[in-house]
Amino acid sequence: MKNTQEKNLKNDNLAAIGIGAMIVFIALILVAAVAAAVIIQTAEKLQQNAQSTGDDTTDEMSGKVQVLNVFVNDNENFEVYFRLAAGSDDTADVDILWQIFCDDGAAGMDRLAGDFADGAVTPLDGTAAVTTIDAGTGYRTTIDGDDGAGNDCGPNALFANNVKATLYLHVVGGGTTYDVLKVNDDSVGSVVV
């Protein structure tokens, strides 16, 4: 009989060890599950941040105006030939803003600003003026270089003062383009470098 009792005690010890091992195993599974959830959540957050940054960069780069050329329109105005950058969405003329900064020839700065709705925006194919600029199409518009209130960055003033002007084109919700304007000849139709 003594032999049977020892055998039962031995079996009881083995059962206790098995339950302990199962508890450790379940604890490891729970820790692994929590760690996996944290890793998945972190990866998802990083992916969302990367997507947001990519979208912002795309808007910044593709929502821009490319200046094709600038000409002297008259003594006060520039004729700007442009198109939207590749990948841009169609844009309203009021959403394309311009600024011109120039040396006034007397150690000061002149600043002019407006939007493309200030002048008629016409496609280069000669069709009628538009209010929505389509991607992939060339356009032209006139930018007033003299506001009549003492700020004069027009072709005649740039040529007479032998100074350069900086033209900034901003797309609302998009990017900014700038171009340096140097007038070597202020006659109508001359190319502005």
Side-chain angles (χ1 to χ4, degrees), residues 22-36:
M22 188 168 50
I23 290 171
V24 170
F25 180 70
I26 291 171
L28 286 174
I29 290 173
L30 289 174
V31 169
V34 170

Side-chain angles (χ1 to χ4, degrees), residues 102-110 150 152 157 161 163:
C102 69
D103 183 343
D104 67 359
M109 289 295 287
D110 285 348
D152 188 1
N161 295 327
V163 294

Side-chain angles (χ1 to χ4, degrees), residues 50-73:
Q51 183 71 35
S52 176
T53 302
D55 291 344
D56 291 347
T57 302
T58 300
D59 289 344
E60 192 71 24
M61 295 308 294
S62 64
K64 288 179 72 170
V65 174
Q66 287 181 320
V67 176
L68 302 175
N69 217 333
V70 180
F71 298 96
V72 174
N73 189 35

